[in-house]
Amino acid sequence: MSETKQASNLLELFDKLNDLKSVFKYGEKLIPIVQSLIDFMNETVPLLENINTSITDSTSKIPKAAHQINDVTAATELATTEILDIVDMINIDIDTIEKDLKSITEKEKQKLDIILKLQNAVKDNSIALSLLQKYEELNSEYKNITTVLTALQKIKNNSYHITLSLQVQDITSQQLSAVNHLISGVQDKLATLLVDFQDTKTEEFEDRKIAAPQDAAFNPNAQYGKSGARQELANELVKSNSNNGSRTTQDEIDKIFS
Amino acid sequence: MELKFLIVDDSGTMRRIVFNSLRNLGYNSYVEAADGKEALAKLAADNSINFVITDWNMPVLSGLELTKAIRADQKTAALPILMVTTRGIKEDIIEALQARVNNYVVKPFTQQVLGEKIDQILATER
């Protein structure tokens, strides 16, 4: 091998050693960065484990929350039925009392008629006439029954208004069904997250699915109010529909309300 | 002609409230169903039903689907249908009218409104 060739090889070796030196120098700079990355990972892993535990915990609690909502619905329905039963019994009792009072009134009217006839028959007997007049006065108490009947009618009207107010049960049960539906959606999302976190199979969460009936029908916008605005809107639309003589189109309705 | 109502609602409470209101209005004849499918079965079995009061949101078959099914059947197409529902937004009411309900009552209703709507339907039918 010639001297020139040897010199060239040595130069190449020095170049490579220089490159290696640069790599080591770069490595020295990288080490703190890698170390901080490792530190960051060390801090993040427990945090992720916390999140994982928290999601698992929340997911396991959701069915309980949903059950409680269903229990509230069932309890209010039961209570509503009991109230309706009681109101019905009150109304039946009032009807009976009304009937009896009307019968008494009728009989008292007949008695009064007889007294008047008797007064006419004994008009020449002052003692008998005086006694009959006193009896008539005592007998006129039945006229107060009319006031009682009016009060009973008022009680009946009020009890019917209690019945109407119980529509709130249907409306709130629809609102609660809507909440259950939302909870079910959140549970599905959390279950998906857990599958990603824990490499768990989706089927494992099927047992924990909340008990909301799949075919539950509800209106998420159901509301209890007495403004009557929504009924007025319905009235306007129905009126417009009947005036039109055919089916109302959305455009036609929009024109009415624009 | 005596009116015989079919009251369709998945809520037993609501069926009872509707019936109590009808009774106060002087109507005493009724049958009830908890969803649209049951209502169709009742209609098929009882020719004397001549007025339908239905909720919208029900499992199995909704009030809207029930209305469409009633209108699609030649035997029941002319039956008066009153929708009584919590759905009170414009789009819903229009959808119900396009399905050819005769009138529309938004819950919570009063006896007066229910009576007015029944009277209006009957007046149109005569």
Side-chain angles (χ1 to χ4, degrees):
Chain A
M1 196 182 290
S2 69
E3 281 182 10
T4 316
K5 179 85 175 169
Q6 276 181 340
S8 166
N9 282 347
L10 275 174
L11 280 173
E12 198 177 324
L13 182 66
F14 284 133
D15 282 346
K16 286 191 175 170
L17 283 171
N18 272 333
D19 286 348
L20 199 60
K21 190 182 167 190
S22 300
V23 168
F24 279 123
K25 275 190 176 174
Y26 183 64
E28 272 177 15
K29 285 181 184 172
L30 263 184
I31 283 168
I33 297 169
V34 171
Q35 186 58 49
S36 63
L37 196 65
I38 289 166
D39 291 345
F40 173 74
M41 291 294 282
N42 278 338
E43 285 169 16
T44 310
V45 167
L47 194 68
L48 285 172
E49 276 171 2
N50 270 345
I51 293 171
N52 184 16
T53 311
S54 179
I55 292 174
T56 310
D57 193 38
S58 303
T59 310
S60 67
K61 279 178 182 167
I62 281 176
K64 196 184 170 195
H67 275 303
Q68 280 174 336
I69 287 174
N70 287 340
D71 286 350
V72 169
T73 304
T76 52
E77 191 168 1
L78 186 67
T80 306
T81 307
E82 284 174 1
I83 296 168
L84 280 170
D85 286 343
I86 292 166
V87 170
D88 275 356
M89 279 191 286
I90 290 170
N91 283 335
I92 289 167
D93 287 345
I94 291 173
D95 283 343
T96 310
I97 295 167
E98 265 184 342
K99 204 174 159 187
D100 290 348
L101 287 176
K102 281 175 183 167
S103 167
I104 290 168
T105 310
E106 193 52 43
K107 280 176 185 163
E108 292 302 321
K109 277 181 185 167
Q110 287 171 12
K111 277 186 196 173
L112 185 66
D113 194 41
I114 291 168
I115 291 166
L116 290 173
K117 282 176 183 168
L118 278 171
Q119 281 175 344
N120 199 35
V122 298
K123 60 185 175 191
D124 297 332
N125 185 336
S126 60
I127 297 168
L129 194 63
S130 165
L131 284 171
L132 280 171
Q133 277 168 348
K134 277 185 182 171
Y135 184 76
E136 187 198 342
E137 279 169 23
L138 289 170
N139 205 49
S140 65
E141 287 294 314
Y142 82 92
K143 286 173 184 167
N144 294 333
I145 289 174
T146 314
T147 317
V148 178
L149 283 171
T150 310
L152 283 176
Q153 191 55 48
K154 202 175 164 188
I155 295 169
K156 264 175 88 171
N157 288 341
N158 286 338
S159 70
Y160 176 66
H161 281 111
I162 292 172
T163 304
L164 282 180
S165 296
L166 292 175
Q167 289 177 83
V168 72
Q169 191 272 323
D170 177 49
I171 292 163
T172 51
S173 76
Q174 292 199 41
Q175 289 167 337
L176 290 174
S177 288
V179 171
N180 250 356
H181 187 71
L182 284 174
I183 289 177
S184 175
V186 171
Q187 193 196 25
D188 287 346
K189 292 279 178 203
L190 290 178
T192 312
L193 276 177
L194 283 178
V195 168
D196 293 342
F197 260 130
Q198 301 176 336
D199 196 24
T200 317
K201 287 176 184 169
T202 315
E203 295 79 47
E204 288 182 29
F205 294 100
E206 287 300 313
D207 297 342
R208 297 187 221 164
K209 276 260 177 194
I210 63 172
Q214 291 303 305
D215 61 349
F218 58 85
N219 171 20
N221 300 315
Q223 51 183 269
Y224 185 80
K226 291 181 177 175
S227 76
R230 297 190 309 157
Q231 185 58 53
E232 280 167 22
L233 172 67
N235 293 347
E236 282 291 331
L237 294 174
V238 171
K239 194 178 164 190
S240 138
N241 191 54
S242 53
N243 287 345
N244 202 5
S246 60
R247 291 185 201 180
T248 307
T249 64
Q250 181 68 59
D251 287 345
E252 287 163 341
I253 299 299
D254 287 343
K255 275 180 199 165
I256 295 169
F257 290 93
S258 61
Chain B
M1 182 182 63
E2 194 197 5
L3 282 180
K4 186 170 186 180
F5 290 86
L6 173 59
I7 304 167
V8 195
D9 201 307
D10 56 330
S11 159
T13 304
M14 281 311 304
R15 291 199 300 273
R16 208 160 150 184
I17 292 171
V18 171
F19 170 64
N20 281 352
S21 304
L22 290 176
R23 194 178 51 196
N24 285 344
L25 291 165
Y27 303 112
N28 288 301
S29 186
Y30 79 103
V31 285
E32 51 187 311
D35 58 63
K37 192 179 173 189
E38 196 184 327
L40 287 175
K42 290 268 164 81
L43 281 171
D46 188 347
N47 290 329
S48 63
I49 295 168
N50 46 20
F51 204 111
V52 178
I53 295 179
T54 183
D55 181 26
W56 185 322
N57 291 102
M58 291 182 291
V60 188
L61 194 74
S62 74
L64 193 73
E65 290 165 323
L66 169 67
T67 303
K68 288 174 184 171
I70 289 172
R71 295 296 181 234
D73 186 340
Q74 207 178 348
K75 287 181 206 161
T76 55
L79 268 179
I81 302 175
L82 175 61
M83 182 77 84
V84 181
T85 174
T86 55
R87 301 174 81 116
I89 60 168
K90 192 167 74 173
E91 289 74 14
D92 288 337
I93 302 167
I94 292 164
E95 198 176 354
L97 290 172
Q98 287 176 341
R100 290 162 60 205
V101 298
N102 293 77
N103 218 316
Y104 200 94
V105 171
V106 182
K107 293 177 189 171
F109 64 85
T110 63
Q111 182 179 301
Q112 188 195 349
V113 168
L114 190 73
E116 276 173 13
K117 300 305 162 198
I118 292 170
D119 289 346
Q120 281 172 14
I121 292 174
L122 294 176
T124 317
E125 296 292 307
R126 279 181 196 125

